[in-house]
Amino acid sequence: MPDSEDILPGADWRDCFEGEMVTPESSSLDVSRLLLDHPPAWITSLMALRNGVVSLFGLKTVELAAGTSAGGFPVLSSTPQRTVLGFDDHHLDFRIVVDLEGGPNCQLVNVTTIVRRKNAFGRLYIFVVGPFHRRIVPATMRPFCTNVRPVNIRDETVSRPA
């Protein structure tokens, strides 16, 4: 489980889901691209809607394309066990952290989203997007992972309302 302060100091919202890879991959970057470059069609449609709405407010859009990114999210750092993606915007900063544990026969994947809300619009944005997000992350994992579930930390579910 990533330490939010090490990855995004001042973060005030996060959620985390885990599952077992059906077919283990060689690195966290490979898993990141597998999960984020191939979203279900309904997620692609939601992202297009999101991009259209946020562009009206001058916020960054996410282009669902591969390259130096995974699912359009810039890769900030990557090791075989952890990839950190994300960017900073006017209303919030966010990171997507993909962690791998285990070996070639059983590989556990944790996908953690960490957010630092900067202003009232950032808080409103997470309030609106949060319920969708808690469905989107598991949906991107299910084609490639079994037993996808939210992760609890210190007896408290990390995925919580804004």
Side-chain angles (χ1 to χ4, degrees):
M1 175 63 49
D3 182 359
S4 298
E5 281 301 309
D6 290 342
I7 294 170
L8 186 61
D12 58 1
W13 187 94
R14 70 179 181 163
D15 65 14
C16 182
F17 296 87
E18 71 180 10
E20 292 91 30
M21 287 295 294
V22 173
T23 305
E25 292 290 328
S26 59
S27 74
S28 62
L29 183 56
D30 291 338
V31 171
S32 299
R33 288 187 171 141
L34 184 67
L35 298 178
L36 297 171
D37 287 348
H38 307 285
W42 66 271
I43 294 173
T44 302
S45 298
L46 274 178
M47 289 301 291
L49 175 63
R50 177 232 176 253
N51 283 343
V53 171
V54 302
S55 67
L56 298 173
F57 296 96
L59 302 175
K60 293 181 181 179
T61 60
V62 175
E63 302 304 323
L64 298 175
T68 58
S69 68
F73 300 105
V75 176
L76 302 177
S77 66
S78 189
T79 68
Q81 293 78 32
R82 172 177 285 170
T83 293
V84 179
L85 308 114
F87 55 76
D88 300 342
D89 210 340
H90 302 294
H91 63 311
L92 57 79
D93 302 334
F94 81 95
R95 304 294 182 264
I96 300 169
V97 183
V98 178
D99 285 308
L100 296 184
E101 296 176 25
N105 296 329
C106 180
Q107 195 172 54
L108 184 67
V109 178
N110 280 294
V111 178
T112 306
T113 304
I114 304 169
V115 177
R116 176 176 51 218
R117 298 173 289 183
K118 295 179 173 179
N119 53 38
F121 186 68
R123 287 184 286 283
L124 175 64
Y125 180 87
I126 289 297
F127 179 77
V128 172
V129 171
F132 294 99
H133 187 268
R134 286 186 285 275
R135 287 166 181 77
I136 288 171
V137 175
T140 61
M141 294 175 73
R142 283 191 191 104
F144 310 103
C145 299
T146 60
N147 196 21
V148 175
R149 59 207 174 268
V151 173
N152 295 319
I153 294 179
R154 289 184 232 125
D155 300 324
E156 176 184 337
T157 301
V158 176
S159 180
R160 57 183 172 253

